[in-house]
Protein backbone atom coordinates (compact mmCIF):
# COMPACT_ATOMS: atom_id res chain seq x y z
CA UNK A 1 0.00 0.00 0.00
CA UNK A 2 1.02 3.62 -0.21
CA UNK A 3 3.73 4.38 2.42
CA UNK A 4 1.67 7.32 3.71
CA UNK A 5 -1.27 4.97 4.37
CA UNK A 6 0.97 2.38 6.00
CA UNK A 7 2.43 5.03 8.31
CA UNK A 8 -1.04 6.06 9.48
CA UNK A 9 -2.09 2.45 10.12
CA UNK A 10 1.09 1.75 12.06
CA UNK A 11 0.45 4.86 14.12
CA UNK A 12 -3.06 3.58 14.81
CA UNK A 13 -1.69 0.30 16.19
CA UNK A 14 0.22 2.47 18.64
CA UNK A 15 -2.88 4.60 19.46
CA UNK A 16 -5.08 1.55 20.11
CA UNK A 17 -2.37 -0.17 22.14
CA UNK A 18 -1.96 2.97 24.23
CA UNK A 19 -5.76 3.00 24.68
CA UNK A 20 -5.55 -0.54 26.04
CA UNK A 21 -2.68 0.49 28.29
CA UNK A 22 -4.32 3.61 29.73
CA UNK A 23 -7.56 1.70 30.38
CA UNK A 24 -5.53 -0.96 32.16
CA UNK A 25 -4.01 1.82 34.28
CA UNK A 26 -7.51 3.11 35.02
CA UNK A 27 -8.66 -0.42 35.98
CA UNK A 28 -5.67 -0.68 38.31
CA UNK A 29 -6.48 2.65 39.98
CA UNK A 30 -10.18 1.75 40.31
CA UNK A 31 -9.27 -1.62 41.82
CA UNK A 32 -6.96 0.07 44.33
CA UNK A 33 -9.65 2.55 45.39
CA UNK A 34 -12.35 -0.10 45.92
CA UNK A 35 -14.39 0.29 42.74
CA UNK A 36 -14.21 -3.37 41.71
CA UNK A 37 -17.12 -3.16 39.28
CA UNK A 38 -15.76 -0.13 37.43
CA UNK A 39 -12.39 -1.89 37.36
CA UNK A 40 -14.03 -4.90 35.67
CA UNK A 41 -15.62 -2.58 33.10
CA UNK A 42 -12.21 -1.02 32.37
CA UNK A 43 -10.51 -4.42 32.06
CA UNK A 44 -13.06 -5.39 29.42
CA UNK A 45 -12.47 -2.07 27.66
CA UNK A 46 -8.70 -2.64 27.71
CA UNK A 47 -9.17 -6.05 26.07
CA UNK A 48 -11.36 -4.56 23.37
CA UNK A 49 -8.70 -1.98 22.60
CA UNK A 50 -6.12 -4.74 22.21
CA UNK A 51 -8.44 -6.25 19.60
CA UNK A 52 -8.64 -2.89 17.81
CA UNK A 53 -4.84 -2.82 17.65
CA UNK A 54 -4.80 -6.42 16.37
CA UNK A 55 -7.29 -5.56 13.63
CA UNK A 56 -4.98 -2.84 12.26
CA UNK A 57 -2.01 -5.21 12.52
CA UNK A 58 -3.87 -8.06 10.78
CA UNK A 59 -5.05 -5.74 8.05
CA UNK A 60 -1.50 -4.55 7.29
CA UNK A 61 -0.36 -8.19 7.08
CA UNK A 62 -3.32 -9.10 4.89
CA UNK A 63 -2.25 -6.41 2.45
CA UNK A 64 1.20 -8.00 2.31
CA UNK A 65 2.93 -5.15 4.10
CA UNK A 66 5.12 -5.13 7.16
CA UNK A 67 3.86 -3.52 10.38
CA UNK A 68 6.17 -1.46 12.53
CA UNK A 69 5.45 -1.37 16.26
CA UNK A 70 6.11 2.05 17.78
CA UNK A 71 6.94 2.96 21.40
CA UNK A 72 4.08 3.12 23.92
CA UNK A 73 4.24 5.92 26.47
CA UNK A 74 3.67 5.44 30.18
CA UNK A 75 0.07 6.23 31.17
CA UNK A 76 -0.81 8.12 34.38
CA UNK A 77 -1.13 5.81 37.39
CA UNK A 78 -3.81 7.61 39.39
CA UNK A 79 -6.72 9.99 38.99
CA UNK A 80 -8.70 12.15 41.42
CA UNK A 81 -11.92 10.11 41.27
CA UNK A 82 -13.91 7.65 39.15
CA UNK A 83 -15.60 10.67 37.55
CA UNK A 84 -12.20 12.03 36.55
CA UNK A 85 -11.28 8.63 35.10
CA UNK A 86 -14.37 8.45 32.91
CA UNK A 87 -14.02 12.07 31.84
CA UNK A 88 -10.49 11.25 30.74
CA UNK A 89 -11.73 8.11 28.95
CA UNK A 90 -14.41 10.13 27.14
CA UNK A 91 -11.89 12.75 26.01
CA UNK A 92 -9.59 9.96 24.89
CA UNK A 93 -12.32 8.36 22.78
CA UNK A 94 -13.00 11.74 21.15
CA UNK A 95 -9.31 11.89 20.31
CA UNK A 96 -9.47 8.39 18.78
CA UNK A 97 -12.51 9.37 16.72
CA UNK A 98 -10.47 12.29 15.38
CA UNK A 99 -7.67 9.88 14.48
CA UNK A 100 -10.06 7.55 12.63
CA UNK A 101 -11.54 10.48 10.72
CA UNK A 102 -8.03 11.61 9.79
CA UNK A 103 -7.10 8.13 8.49
CA UNK A 104 -10.36 8.00 6.51
CA UNK A 105 -9.35 11.28 4.86
CA UNK A 106 -5.88 9.95 3.98
CA UNK A 107 -7.41 6.75 2.53
CA UNK A 108 -9.90 8.81 0.53
CA UNK A 109 -7.18 11.11 -0.82
CA UNK A 110 -5.17 8.05 -1.90
CA UNK A 111 -8.22 6.37 -3.39
CA UNK A 112 -7.46 3.35 -1.14
CA UNK A 113 -10.89 1.72 -1.15
CA UNK A 114 -9.87 -1.44 0.71
CA UNK A 115 -8.64 0.62 3.65
CA UNK A 116 -11.72 2.84 3.49
CA UNK A 117 -13.86 -0.27 3.69
CA UNK A 118 -12.01 -1.64 6.73
CA UNK A 119 -12.22 1.75 8.46
CA UNK A 120 -16.01 1.83 8.24
CA UNK A 121 -16.18 -0.66 11.13
CA UNK A 122 -14.14 1.76 13.25
CA UNK A 123 -16.28 4.74 12.24
CA UNK A 124 -19.32 2.92 13.66
CA UNK A 125 -17.44 1.54 16.64
CA UNK A 126 -16.37 5.04 17.68
CA UNK A 127 -19.99 6.16 17.96
CA UNK A 128 -20.54 3.41 20.53
CA UNK A 129 -17.20 4.01 22.26
CA UNK A 130 -17.98 7.69 22.83
CA UNK A 131 -21.55 6.94 23.92
CA UNK A 132 -20.44 4.37 26.52
CA UNK A 133 -17.89 6.68 28.11
CA UNK A 134 -20.19 9.69 27.98
CA UNK A 135 -23.02 7.75 29.63
CA UNK A 136 -20.74 6.70 32.47
CA UNK A 137 -19.69 10.35 32.96
CA UNK A 138 -23.33 11.44 33.09
CA UNK A 139 -24.27 8.79 35.65
CA UNK A 140 -21.31 9.61 37.87
CA UNK A 141 -22.12 13.32 37.66
CA UNK A 142 -25.72 12.64 38.69
CA UNK A 143 -24.78 10.68 41.83
CA UNK A 144 -22.02 13.14 42.77
CA UNK A 145 -20.84 12.41 46.32
CA UNK A 146 -23.67 10.03 47.13
CA UNK A 147 -21.88 6.85 48.26
CA UNK A 148 -24.87 4.58 47.76
CA UNK A 149 -25.35 5.89 44.23
CA UNK A 150 -21.71 5.26 43.44
CA UNK A 151 -21.97 1.72 44.79
CA UNK A 152 -24.98 1.09 42.59
CA UNK A 153 -23.15 2.30 39.47
CA UNK A 154 -20.16 0.21 40.47
CA UNK A 155 -22.32 -2.90 40.77
CA UNK A 156 -24.15 -2.27 37.52
CA UNK A 157 -21.08 -1.51 35.40
CA UNK A 158 -19.31 -4.51 36.91
CA UNK A 159 -21.69 -6.84 35.05
CA UNK A 160 -19.98 -6.03 31.75
CA UNK A 161 -18.61 -9.20 30.16
CA UNK A 162 -15.88 -9.42 27.54
CA UNK A 163 -16.94 -10.55 24.08
CA UNK A 164 -15.21 -10.23 20.75
CA UNK A 165 -16.90 -7.24 19.07
CA UNK A 166 -19.50 -8.30 16.53
CA UNK A 167 -18.31 -8.54 12.93
CA UNK A 168 -14.80 -7.30 13.77
CA UNK A 169 -12.94 -7.28 10.45
CA UNK A 170 -9.68 -9.20 9.96
CA UNK A 171 -10.03 -10.76 13.43
CA UNK A 172 -8.97 -13.15 14.86
CA UNK A 173 -5.86 -14.71 13.44
CA UNK A 174 -4.77 -18.01 15.04
CA UNK A 175 -3.42 -17.35 18.52
CA UNK A 176 -5.36 -14.15 19.12
CA UNK A 177 -7.55 -14.28 22.23
CA UNK A 178 -11.27 -14.77 21.72
CA UNK A 179 -12.41 -16.32 25.02
CA UNK A 180 -13.74 -14.72 28.20
FE1 LIG B 1 -10.26 1.68 19.97
FE2 LIG B 1 -11.88 2.96 22.18
O1 LIG B 1 -11.21 3.08 20.48
Amino acid sequence: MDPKMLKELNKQIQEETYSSYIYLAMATDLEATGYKGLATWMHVQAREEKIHADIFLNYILERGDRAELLAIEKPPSSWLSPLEIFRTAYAHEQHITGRINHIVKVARDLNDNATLNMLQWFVEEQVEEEANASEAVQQLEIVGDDGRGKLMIDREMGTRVFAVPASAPYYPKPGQATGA
Side-chain angles (χ1 to χ4, degrees):
M1 81 182 86
D2 189 286
K4 203 169 154 196
M5 191 78 261
L6 182 59
K7 193 173 168 198
E8 292 295 343
L9 297 179
N10 275 326
K11 169 100 178 94
Q12 199 60 23
I13 295 176
Q14 179 194 43
E15 292 272 357
E16 302 288 351
T17 304
Y18 179 75
S19 302
S20 181
Y21 210 32
I22 193 172
Y23 292 146
L24 193 59
M26 288 173 174
T28 304
D29 191 29
L30 288 162
E31 188 97 37
T33 49
Y35 294 95
K36 307 284 183 203
L38 295 180
T40 297
W41 193 97
M42 274 299 173
H43 275 297
V44 172
Q45 189 63 29
R47 290 187 71 185
E48 283 198 3
E49 299 298 351
K50 171 69 169 64
I51 290 176
H52 295 174
D54 283 344
I55 291 172
F56 282 100
L57 174 68
N58 293 352
Y59 176 70
I60 291 171
L61 299 176
E62 190 74 16
R63 290 287 299 267
D65 280 297
R66 187 167 179 130
E68 187 186 358
L69 302 183
L70 307 171
I72 307 300
E73 88 182 71
K74 180 186 185 302
S77 50
S78 64
W79 287 262
L80 288 175
S81 64
L83 177 57
E84 204 52 39
I85 284 179
F86 279 89
R87 278 184 178 150
T88 305
Y90 181 39
H92 184 69
E93 288 303 330
Q94 289 175 310
H95 161 74
I96 295 294
T97 300
R99 276 288 311 161
I100 298 292
N101 288 337
H102 170 69
I103 306 175
V104 165
K105 185 176 182 320
V106 172
R108 201 172 280 145
D109 290 348
L110 291 168
N111 203 21
D112 185 340
N113 290 308
T115 303
L116 270 177
N117 214 24
M118 181 273 294
L119 288 171
Q120 279 315 302
W121 186 85
F122 283 96
V123 170
E124 285 172 31
E125 177 75 3
Q126 279 312 117
V127 175
E128 194 187 320
E129 293 281 82
E130 283 197 29
N132 288 344
S134 156
E135 194 181 313
V137 168
Q138 266 183 337
Q139 288 190 4
L140 287 165
E141 278 175 352
I142 289 169
V143 298
D145 286 332
D146 176 33
R148 277 173 61 169
K150 283 198 275 190
L151 268 179
M152 267 179 62
I153 291 175
D154 187 62
R155 210 166 291 154
E156 191 187 309
M157 288 182 67
T159 60
R160 184 178 183 188
V161 175
F162 171 77
V164 173
S167 63
Y170 302 95
Y171 189 88
K173 267 187 174 306
Q176 290 175 338
T178 53

